[in-house]
Amino acid sequence: MIRQHFRVVVVDLSTRKTRAENIPGRVQWLGGSGLAALLFEKYGDPGAPWTDPSQPLIFAIGPLTGYFPLMSKTVCSFLSPYHGQYTESHAGGRSALALRFADMDALVVVGKAERPSVLSVGSQHMEIIDAPFLWGKDVFTTGKMLRHMLPGSGTRSILRIGPAGETGCAYACINVDTYRHFGRMGSGAVMGAKNLKAIAILGDASFPLPEGKAYADAFKTIYEQLTETTMMSKYHDLGTAGNVAALNELKSLPWRNLQATTDPGIEGISGERFADDMLLRNAACAGCPVGCIHVGFLREKFMADHRFLYRQVAYDYEPIFSLGSMLGMTDGFAVLGLMDSVEREGLDCMSSGVALAWATEALQKGHITEAETLTPLTFGEADGYKAAIHHLGCGTNEFYRRLAQGTMKAASHYNGEDYACVLGQEMAGYATGESFFVSESLSFRHSHLDSSAYSADQKPQDKDADKTVAGFVKDEAGRCVLTSMVGCLFARGVYNAERLGLALTSLGYQDVAANLDAAGEAIQRLRWRLRMRSGYAPLQAKIPKRYTEVVTWKGPIDAEYMETLRQAYAKKLMELGQEV
Amino acid sequence: MKTLTAARMERCIGCQSCSLACARLVHGRLSWFTAGIRIGSSGGISTGFEARVCLACDPPPCAAACPTGSLSPRKSDGGVKQDKKLCIRCGKCVAACPVEAIVQDELQNPYVCIHCGRCVPYCPHDCLELAEKGKANVVQEVAE
């Protein structure tokens, strides 16, 4: 629905009541990231712990959601179980369009259900279903049972957690419609703490479109850019997995807990190998004709006499890095098997892989023993990792419960901090150089998508810390605009300022279009204020020793420059997060 | 007459561009539901997708059930044409459709495929085809 205010639906799980609120602020806060921050300021308490039942779990979409292709993402914001501070996680699937057609600019969940429950909401519908029978069920079983319990097949989105969310793993994810995730920073544990096993969003409303030619023309222009140019072809073809071999070639792919940045074993896990041997089909988020989701197949013999089962596993660059090269795996099918195990538990794949890579090296070094890991962990051997992933999801013993709170927390207990590959959270798969290490360590989401640092590292750069920091800050403000619309960041080349303006204007949002730059900066600052209020101290953030030992295509890391850059960025963030 | 066929649904990625295009271009709505073609999984997203769309019955039972003539048979090859002005929103057509291809919105307006083919160019995997009845799915593209 095109409107100048935000229609926000607040569900209180404690009282089992819902209210819809109209909140002004479209021109300043846009939607998505901006709206989520505005709502956290209204409903959240940055001084209270994330486990406080009153803390909100927020899902927000933007003014362009559903109206234009690839405007198909939802921003989820919450106090993170990982660090107790304000954060965001983004996902697609059908979640964004389902919220649009449920006539909500945002869904805010507060309170805690008395017993394990499923929340089902739509434009004319709200129900909290008691579901203790789903507690303890893995993501796959939960999905199958929910399909029969809930209305609206084809026009709904189902968000669900696995055992990791229930046991409070700090990097438990929320699975979205089977193949997408609110992956990082532990949103799954927030649902778990609220006794909320799943949320179904029923997109059962429809809306009139603007009259006249402007909208149709804008749609046509943008659709053609997305489908008839080569701008999206890398996502359409090999997908993000296409970067695996390229990063290995650049000596920037982390192998075996970042003990190496390139390895001849790449042949078995390259995007080309996955596409040729394992790719079963593609899938798409609703409203996206690109279809970047790559689903691989896994055939497993489970019994004699040729008894097989098959699995379908979505793969991407990051899971291939984290559960592949980072664990020394060189067989793509075995990597798919680990991805499947991670999916089942409802864990974030990147954090899980990096955590287990650390545990493997810790075991090698004797900082921990098999009394802790309960299973042998050896780079390149999948069986041990499969068992460990299950332990991580269930929190089987004290060691796994520690590791599930974050690799650095476990590392500091077991004296293994130097080789913990943690950049704010478990690293993303880019051992590209100083810019990326500093950017991911300090940036808002600790995500490789917070800035283009990993891309900048791949080109020759001068070592000018102030200029680099200015680049991070400008980049972040621009991305705040796109993640407030809410566009897929893969489409950032298509949705430049001009086309965003065209799209917004065609829907009657002229005022919003005229204020994009200022809004981006205001959103950026509000997010940082919320992060600081909840305890972030960027000047104290450390980059582990392992990162000073990395060798990339440019040669060894310049530790001195990295430290200069870290300090400069941390100071800038303190400025951005200053109260006004 | 030409008929829309969901001829190659095994290629479908579930992007719902067809439903959105129908709603946008034919009905002037933003919707993935109030459209002549709708996409759902065959039983969970891991099982692939199927299209709910008019199969161009000849004669069409929805037109037979329509008490006002709002839906009437096309000149040939099955399917219906729709005169929205005549519709009293009784829902008889929805009940008469054997494949659940007709839906009603919250005001009980029915939505049915009129075989105009405007969704076809929006399918990125060429799942849909507008062709003379019985001629669809003859030409299979060969991948390079």
Side-chain angles (χ1 to χ4, degrees):
Chain A
M1 178 77 87
I2 300 165
R3 55 188 158 219
Q4 292 299 324
H5 63 271
F6 299 112
R7 182 173 185 272
V8 177
V9 171
V10 184
V11 176
D12 187 333
L13 296 172
S14 300
T15 61
R16 301 173 82 100
K17 297 288 180 196
T18 293
R19 63 182 190 276
E21 299 191 8
N22 292 335
I23 297 175
R26 176 73 73 188
V27 173
Q28 185 166 9
W29 304 112
L30 309 179
S33 289
L35 174 57
L38 178 71
L39 295 176
F40 187 83
E41 194 169 41
K42 183 174 166 69
Y43 298 106
D45 178 358
W50 71 270
T51 47
D52 189 316
S54 66
Q55 297 287 16
L57 178 65
I58 297 163
F59 300 93
I61 58 169
L64 300 182
T65 301
Y67 287 94
F68 285 92
L70 273 80
M71 289 293 168
S72 48
K73 289 270 194 169
T74 303
V75 171
C76 175
S77 83
F78 51 99
L79 274 193
S80 168
Y82 197 88
H83 52 34
Q85 298 157 17
Y86 180 67
T87 195
E88 278 178 14
S89 185
H90 302 175
R94 289 176 178 159
S95 62
L97 266 64
L99 282 166
R100 165 63 68 220
F101 296 128
D103 199 16
M104 300 174 194
D105 293 297
L107 171 65
V108 179
V109 183
V110 297
K112 178 178 178 178
E114 201 176 338
R115 59 188 71 84
S117 300
V118 174
L119 168 64
S120 176
V121 286
S123 70
Q124 301 173 307
H125 169 77
M126 197 295 271
E127 190 179 8
I128 295 169
I129 306 161
D130 289 343
F133 53 90
L134 289 178
W135 210 248
K137 296 279 185 294
D138 67 38
V139 167
F140 303 150
T141 306
T142 303
K144 284 181 179 156
M145 297 180 96
L146 286 170
R147 272 200 306 108
H148 298 293
M149 288 168 59
L150 300 165
S153 174
T155 54
R156 71 185 174 202
S157 179
I158 296 179
L159 320 183
R160 60 194 196 257
I161 61 168
E166 300 173 14
T167 57
C169 172
Y171 41 88
C173 73
I174 301 174
N175 177 295
V176 181
D177 302 321
T178 303
Y179 293 134
R180 298 288 90 180
H181 315 83
F182 293 107
R184 312 221 70 187
M185 307 310 296
S187 56
V190 177
M191 277 182 63
K194 292 186 174 301
N195 260 338
L196 189 55
K197 183 69 175 175
I199 303 172
I201 304 161
L202 184 58
D204 50 356
S206 76
F207 311 108
L209 284 169
E211 290 177 9
K213 271 179 68 102
Y215 170 67
D217 289 349
F219 189 99
K220 187 163 179 283
T221 302
I222 290 168
Y223 197 88
E224 282 173 2
Q225 286 292 319
L226 287 163
T227 55
E228 291 174 21
T229 69
T230 56
M231 293 176 90
M232 300 305 294
S233 54
K234 70 174 172 179
Y235 300 109
H236 182 79
D237 185 359
L238 294 178
T240 55
N243 280 335
V244 177
L247 271 284
N248 187 69
E249 178 69 24
L250 261 181
K251 294 188 180 154
S252 297
L253 182 66
W255 283 88
R256 299 177 295 278
N257 201 38
L258 196 53
Q259 296 182 85
T261 50
T262 188
D263 192 284
I266 190 68
E267 294 299 319
I269 60 165
S270 68
E272 291 79 0
R273 175 56 63 92
F274 269 83
D276 288 343
D277 295 354
M278 288 162 262
L279 179 57
L280 180 67
R281 64 193 178 95
N282 292 97
C285 296
C288 172
V290 176
C292 78
I293 302 172
H294 286 59
V295 181
F297 77 94
L298 189 58
R299 178 172 172 258
E300 285 181 0
K301 188 173 181 181
F302 64 92
M303 202 182 273
D305 301 330
H306 294 92
R307 298 282 117 174
F308 285 89
L309 56 80
Y310 73 97
R311 305 180 193 281
Q312 299 181 51
V313 190
Y315 66 81
D316 260 301
Y317 175 82
E318 299 295 348
I320 296 175
F321 137 71
S322 55
L323 298 164
S325 63
M326 195 65 169
L327 295 178
M329 307 291 301
T330 53
D331 173 359
F333 285 105
V335 177
L336 281 179
L338 296 184
M339 290 178 200
D340 186 72
S341 299
V342 161
E343 288 279 22
R344 182 179 295 275
E345 300 299 330
L347 288 157
D348 174 62
C349 64
M350 293 155 78
S351 286
S352 303
V354 173
L356 293 177
W358 172 84
T360 308
E361 192 172 334
L363 197 58
Q364 283 177 349
K365 285 183 154 65
H367 289 163
I368 53 173
T369 69
E370 269 191 49
E372 275 86 29
T373 62
L374 306 175
T375 178
L377 296 178
T378 309
F379 289 124
E381 292 187 14
D383 288 349
Y385 290 130
K386 262 192 188 170
I389 287 164
H390 181 61
H391 293 315
L392 204 48
C394 296
T396 309
N397 65 7
E398 196 183 348
F399 168 74
Y400 283 104
R401 286 192 291 275
R402 276 209 179 92
L403 195 57
Q405 291 311 301
T407 302
M408 191 53 84
K409 286 188 180 149
S412 63
H413 183 83
Y414 297 102
N415 199 25
E417 289 160 287
D418 285 352
Y419 56 93
C421 293
V422 174
L423 297 170
Q425 65 178 326
E426 287 76 12
M427 75 179 296
Y430 303 92
T432 52
E434 299 87 352
S435 293
F436 178 71
F437 297 156
V438 170
S439 172
E440 196 186 10
S441 292
L442 297 180
S443 64
F444 178 70
R445 288 197 284 147
H446 302 296
S447 164
H448 56 293
L449 290 168
D450 281 334
S451 78
S452 59
Y454 65 89
S455 169
D457 270 336
Q458 294 175 44
K459 299 164 202 135
Q461 293 169 290
D462 48 9
K463 290 181 181 174
D464 181 335
D466 289 337
K467 190 172 134 194
T468 304
V469 166
F472 290 164
V473 173
K474 186 164 181 248
D475 205 354
E476 186 194 7
R479 285 168 191 239
C480 280
V481 171
L482 191 51
T483 63
S484 296
M485 293 291 118
V486 176
C488 177
L489 283 166
F490 292 169
R492 57 191 181 268
V494 173
Y495 283 108
N496 56 19
E498 185 195 341
R499 291 199 193 97
L500 282 178
L502 177 73
L504 286 164
T505 304
S506 77
L507 296 179
Y509 289 117
Q510 284 84 350
D511 293 351
V512 178
N515 192 49
L516 284 184
D517 289 346
E521 287 173 20
I523 291 163
Q524 178 180 32
R525 285 179 181 275
L526 177 59
R527 292 200 314 183
W528 281 117
R529 285 201 296 280
L530 294 172
R531 182 84 196 268
M532 304 295 172
R533 282 178 209 165
S534 50
Y536 188 42
L539 292 164
Q540 266 87 60
K542 290 198 180 86
I543 298 178
K545 189 177 170 209
R546 175 58 46 90
Y547 292 94
T548 63
E549 300 162 348
V550 169
V551 177
T552 73
W553 67 280
K554 289 185 282 195
I557 289 295
D558 181 342
E560 198 180 328
Y561 171 64
M562 188 158 73
E563 177 56 17
T564 306
L565 187 59
R566 186 191 71 78
Q567 288 189 23
Y569 191 28
K571 276 184 202 144
K572 185 68 197 176
L573 294 182
M574 292 302 293
E575 267 176 54
L576 285 171
Q578 260 175 11
E579 295 297 332
V580 286
Chain B
M1 295 181 79
K2 287 193 171 175
T3 302
L4 178 80
T5 313
R8 291 173 285 275
M9 283 303 290
E10 61 275 22
R11 299 177 173 195
C12 178
I13 55 174
C15 70
Q16 295 168 306
S17 296
C18 53
S19 308
L20 291 162
C22 177
R24 185 175 68 247
L25 301 171
V26 181
H27 302 290
R29 308 285 294 176
L30 182 71
S31 176
W32 57 7
F33 181 67
T34 55
I37 181 167
R38 296 172 310 284
I39 303 299
S41 73
S42 315
I45 286 171
S46 64
T47 58
F49 300 95
E50 56 190 30
R52 288 285 157 85
V53 64
C54 172
L55 300 181
C57 301
D58 191 7
C62 56
C66 177
T68 66
S70 174
L71 294 183
S72 57
R74 296 197 301 169
K75 273 186 282 187
S76 62
D77 297 322
V80 289
K81 54 188 181 175
Q82 184 177 24
D83 185 342
K84 288 183 182 178
K85 293 193 298 292
L86 299 178
C87 180
I88 56 169
R89 298 179 287 182
C90 66
K92 298 271 192 204
C93 54
V94 176
C97 178
V99 292
E100 298 176 20
I102 309 176
V103 289
Q104 285 172 288
D105 65 15
E106 63 276 19
L107 300 174
Q108 309 306 321
N109 295 302
Y111 292 82
V112 61
C113 174
I114 54 170
H115 299 276
C116 68
R118 294 180 79 181
C119 54
V120 173
Y122 288 92
C123 177
H125 278 193
D126 201 19
C127 300
L128 308 175
E129 194 166 330
L130 187 70
E132 294 299 330
K133 197 168 190 187
K135 302 282 186 190
N137 208 10
V138 174
V139 181
Q140 281 279 0
E141 272 184 24
V142 179
E144 287 172 14

